[in-house]
């Protein structure tokens, strides 16, 4: 039975990932920062499926809280086999209007959280030949101007570099590190007009469904090739940001 730690577990993608993984025997450590009601709703769903889970509220931009999350997860379940770093909100604002505080918040939330959890989980993942799954976005590998989301894109580009760097460094220890790169995902209660606007941009003709991200995560954990590491896996209907 695998123990899987999911950060940002009460986001739409986090919930979809947790539910997609619940078809197999596993234990889930679920990190969230705010909106405890949504996190508790997910845990109630998992309880109905007889999936053991624990909720952990913490701010992963703080290294000590990331360290505590890993320690508490190990205390609760005895091991961590997979770390899934989903934390990282999209921010849309003109770079000419972004303040230093907002810039640092983008980098902290989207990049530093990913490093912090990976750092403190590394020894445990080496011990059991585990996996790290990060999240970036479709097109992250193409350096171009993202003037309306520069902080987010800079951070996620950093996540791509971090993913490949950790993959190379941890490969001798048989720890796999990959990143899923979603396109436009149909999250929350969007209107028909918003859905159509998204669809018009996507060659496949519709947004990505959160459960497709969940299925990709499950495949990566259980069915992907053993030597698959350092990959950026795009799920985007041929759309790139």
């Amino acid at each position: 039975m695998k123990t899987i730690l999911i950060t940002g577990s009460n986001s739409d993608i986090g919930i979809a990932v947790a539910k997609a993984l619940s078809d197999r025997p596993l234990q889930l450590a679920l990190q969230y920062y705010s909106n405890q009601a949504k996190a508790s709703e997910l845990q109630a769903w998992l309880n109905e499926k007889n999936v053991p889970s624990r909720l952990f509220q913490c701010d992963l931009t703080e290294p000590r809280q990331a360290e505590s999350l890993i320690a508490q997860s190990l205390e609760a379940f005895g091991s961590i086999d997979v770390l899934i770093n989903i934390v990282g909100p999209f921010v849309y604002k003109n770079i000419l209007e972004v303040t230093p505080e907002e810039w640092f918040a983008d980098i902290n939330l989207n990049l530093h959280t990913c490093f912090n959890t990976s750092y403190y989980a590394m020894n445990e993942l080496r011990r059991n030949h585990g996996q790290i799954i990060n999240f970036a976005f479709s097109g992250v590998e193409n350096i171009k101007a993202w003037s309306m989301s520069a902080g987010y894109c800079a951070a996620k580009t950093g996540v791509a570099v971090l993913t490949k760097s950790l993959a190379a460094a941890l490969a001798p220890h048989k720890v796999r590190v990959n990143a899923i790169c979603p396109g436009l995902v149909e999250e929350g209660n969007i209107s028909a007009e918003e859905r159509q606007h998204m669809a018009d941009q996507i060659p496949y003709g519709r947004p990505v469904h959160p459960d497709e991200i969940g299925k990709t995560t499950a495949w990566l954990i259980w069915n992907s090739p053993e030597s698959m590491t350092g990959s950026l896996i795009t799920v985007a209907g041929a759309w790139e940001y």
Side-chain angles (χ1 to χ4, degrees):
M1 178 183 291
K2 288 187 182 296
T3 299
I4 300 176
L5 169 57
I6 304 175
T7 74
S9 63
N10 62 343
S11 64
D12 286 351
I13 288 178
I15 290 168
V17 166
K19 289 183 175 181
L21 300 182
S22 65
D23 289 340
R24 301 234 187 180
L26 81 166
Q27 304 173 120
L28 288 174
L30 305 170
Q31 181 274 340
Y32 71 99
Y33 174 65
S34 60
N35 198 341
Q36 184 176 2
K38 197 172 181 182
S40 298
E41 186 178 318
L42 170 60
Q43 187 175 45
W45 187 94
L46 292 167
N47 288 341
E48 289 183 6
K49 299 288 183 178
N50 295 314
V51 177
S53 66
R54 285 281 301 274
L55 295 178
F56 300 98
Q57 191 282 328
C58 58
D59 178 1
L60 296 178
T61 65
E62 297 291 339
R64 292 305 167 212
Q65 293 194 38
E67 182 181 24
S68 178
L69 171 66
I70 301 303
Q72 289 181 71
S73 298
L74 288 172
E75 182 179 354
F77 295 117
S79 67
I80 298 172
D81 298 286
V82 184
L83 168 63
I84 304 177
N85 287 309
I86 298 177
V87 167
F90 178 75
V91 178
Y92 190 78
K93 188 172 183 179
N94 191 318
I95 185 59
L96 300 181
E97 299 172 359
V98 170
T99 66
E101 291 77 15
E102 290 170 330
W103 175 266
F104 283 116
D106 279 354
I107 304 302
N108 281 334
L109 286 166
N110 285 285
L111 177 57
H112 292 168
T113 57
C114 194
F115 175 82
N116 290 342
T117 53
S118 297
Y119 177 82
Y120 289 110
M122 214 172 292
N123 286 338
E124 171 66 10
L125 295 173
R126 276 195 289 245
R127 184 184 68 81
N128 56 24
H129 300 166
Q131 292 187 54
I132 299 173
I133 300 173
N134 297 321
F135 274 75
F137 63 86
S138 177
V140 68
E141 67 272 24
N142 302 320
I143 303 299
K144 57 185 179 182
W146 291 294
S147 59
M148 293 303 297
S149 52
Y152 170 86
C153 292
K156 290 299 190 184
T157 301
V159 168
V161 174
L162 177 63
T163 297
K164 288 180 173 288
S165 300
L166 285 174
L170 291 171
H173 302 278
K174 300 301 182 286
V175 176
R176 300 203 289 142
V177 188
N178 295 288
I180 295 174
C181 302
L184 291 170
V185 179
E186 187 173 336
E187 298 177 277
N189 298 314
I190 67 171
S191 66
E193 291 77 13
E194 289 173 312
R195 187 178 294 106
Q196 186 59 51
H197 176 68
M198 292 169 71
D200 289 344
Q201 304 174 62
I202 302 168
Y204 198 71
R206 66 162 175 82
V208 177
H209 299 153
D211 72 292
E212 293 178 302
I213 305 300
K215 290 174 183 176
T216 303
T217 307
W219 172 82
L220 191 53
I221 293 171
W222 282 294
N223 298 117
S224 60
E226 185 179 338
S227 61
M228 185 175 186
T229 190
S231 297
L232 305 178
I233 303 162
T234 300
V235 185
W239 176 89
E240 286 190 351
Y241 186 41

